[in-house]
Amino acid sequence: MRLLLALAAALLAGTLHAHSLIHTAQPGSAVIVELRYADGSPFSYESTEVYRPAESVPFLVGRTDANGRLAFVPDRSGDWRVRAFSEDGHGGDFTIAATPDGESSAPSTGLSTIAALAVGLSVIFGIFGIWSLFVRRRS
Amino acid sequence: MHIPDGFLSPQTYLPAYALAAGGWVYAARELRRRVDETLLPRLAVLTALAFVLMTVMLPLPGGTSVHASGIGILAVIFGPWLTFAVVSLVLLLQALVLGAGGITVLPVNALAMGLGGSVAACLGYRLLAPRWERAGLFAAGWLAAVVPAALVAVVLGLQPAIAHRSDGQPLFFPFGLSVTLPAVLIPHAILGLGEGLLTVLVVSFLRRR
């Protein structure tokens, strides 16, 4: 009888735990990626995908948080691909070099907007200026 | 409005490169034919204006942001082919110095904005301007914002059908036409009002000079 009761209790306990999720909080190093529009406003609640180096099946699929951030914990070293999409076609597709020990580096996103504006305008006026000289000389 | 790198499949951007290359050759011939000492400074200033307008992002309610383009102004003053040429230059610079848009997607952005937008702007202007000059200018600006947005939305929305895994998972941009058309068109229909007003103001100002 005792054996039967013990068996029933064990089965019941197994049934009770079959649908539970065990959670643990692990202090450690995650890579946090922050995505912003050019005006500085956060790329909030938009779709994201993270891929392990050289893999085509996503490691993580989700959305950015209210501050336009996503986080993942790399389990291997290499270039992790991050993709982010909004429904209206904003977003990006880039890689971040990351290691399980927490070191990560994203490629530089380039010049500040003001510096980029200055470079772009210089190139435009430079091209048209040089072209004007040729046209004037020809005429 | 311009599509970033990584959002379009090679099946989309490779044919677009072939199509755009033909357009760039024709536009270069047109530029060479029309170029003179008076055209170049005006073209330079309005190309610079387009570059600045495309860089300044305007936040809209709902979390997205849009930018004006100046394509309506360029199209009314210089016609579609010169506009296609200079907008392609602006998009190339934006990809190289700002990381906005991209190199693989350049022909799609150039065809949608530089050619689609400018042809629509010219047609709208020519239709209305003989009777209502200002309405024609406003229509040019509005169409220059909305038509490229529609083209971009269609190209993006077709990506899940064009390139996907065997299980149906999209390989590039993940949203279909039912999502992209309203998401892209509604903000640009609003932006188009500003673009139309800007076209009226700038072209009217330049014609008084």
Side-chain angles (χ1 to χ4, degrees):
Chain A
M1 187 64 189
R2 275 187 186 175
L3 189 65
L4 275 173
L5 282 172
L7 194 63
L11 281 171
L12 196 61
T15 310
L16 286 174
H17 286 288
H19 295 283
S20 69
L21 273 177
I22 297 163
H23 69 270
T24 55
Q26 297 179 355
S29 300
V31 175
I32 300 172
V33 184
E34 190 170 289
L35 298 158
R36 291 185 175 277
Y37 289 101
D39 66 348
S41 58
F43 194 63
S44 310
Y45 310 121
E46 302 294 1
S47 302
T48 59
E49 293 172 353
V50 179
Y51 294 80
R52 281 192 180 112
E55 282 195 6
S56 59
V57 176
F59 172 75
L60 179 75
V61 175
R63 286 185 178 272
T64 53
D65 67 12
N67 295 318
R69 289 183 295 208
L70 69 101
F72 64 96
V73 183
D75 59 358
R76 67 179 69 161
S77 300
D79 288 335
W80 288 68
R81 185 180 179 199
V82 177
R83 305 172 81 201
F85 308 93
S86 67
E87 293 171 350
D88 62 355
H90 285 98
D93 184 337
F94 51 91
T95 57
I96 292 172
T99 59
D101 60 14
E103 286 182 14
S104 69
S105 64
S108 167
T109 49
L111 304 165
S112 70
T113 306
I114 299 293
L117 262 175
V119 171
L121 290 175
S122 306
V123 172
I124 289 168
F125 284 117
I127 289 171
F128 283 103
I130 292 167
W131 197 357
S132 295
L133 289 177
F134 277 105
V135 169
R136 196 172 292 176
R137 195 175 292 172
R138 205 190 307 156
S139 59
Chain B
M1 181 190 304
H2 22 316
I3 304 169
D5 261 338
F7 278 29
L8 297 184
S9 54
Q11 297 97 310
T12 308
Y13 65 72
L14 291 177
Y17 252 113
L19 195 63
W24 287 325
V25 169
Y26 187 84
R29 282 189 191 156
E30 189 73 3
L31 251 174
R32 209 171 155 191
R33 188 177 67 79
R34 289 175 55 185
V35 76
D36 61 32
E37 284 181 46
T38 57
L39 178 95
L40 281 175
R42 288 184 300 143
L43 198 54
V45 168
L46 292 178
T47 304
L49 176 67
F51 179 75
V52 173
L53 288 174
M54 285 192 209
T55 306
V56 179
M57 302 302 286
L58 307 166
L60 282 184
T64 190
S65 62
V66 291
H67 61 78
S69 67
I71 289 170
I73 301 165
L74 284 161
V76 167
I77 296 178
F78 301 112
W81 289 107
L82 266 56
T83 304
F84 177 53
V86 297
V87 167
S88 299
L89 171 67
V90 167
L91 290 169
L92 177 66
L93 285 173
Q94 287 223 309
L96 293 177
V97 301
L98 277 153
I103 298 300
T104 61
V105 291
L106 179 67
V108 176
N109 287 329
L111 287 168
M113 296 171 71
L115 200 57
S118 62
V119 167
C122 285
L123 288 175
Y125 177 70
R126 283 178 195 165
L127 200 69
L128 293 172
R131 276 192 161 193
W132 307 286
E133 168 74 15
R134 289 192 168 196
L137 290 174
F138 184 85
W142 190 80
L143 289 167
V146 172
V147 170
L151 294 171
V152 162
V154 168
V155 172
L156 282 172
L158 287 175
Q159 293 312 300
I162 292 173
H164 49 78
R165 284 194 208 110
S166 53
D167 62 358
Q169 186 71 23
L171 286 167
F172 294 90
F173 192 72
F175 304 110
L177 285 170
S178 60
V179 175
T180 57
L181 278 169
V184 179
L185 272 175
I186 293 169
H188 284 90
I190 299 165
L191 167 80
L193 303 176
E195 185 94 40
L197 195 62
L198 187 73
T199 307
V200 173
L201 291 173
V202 173
V203 177
S204 303
F205 173 79
L206 290 174
R207 285 189 174 154
R208 283 200 300 272
R209 299 278 117 187

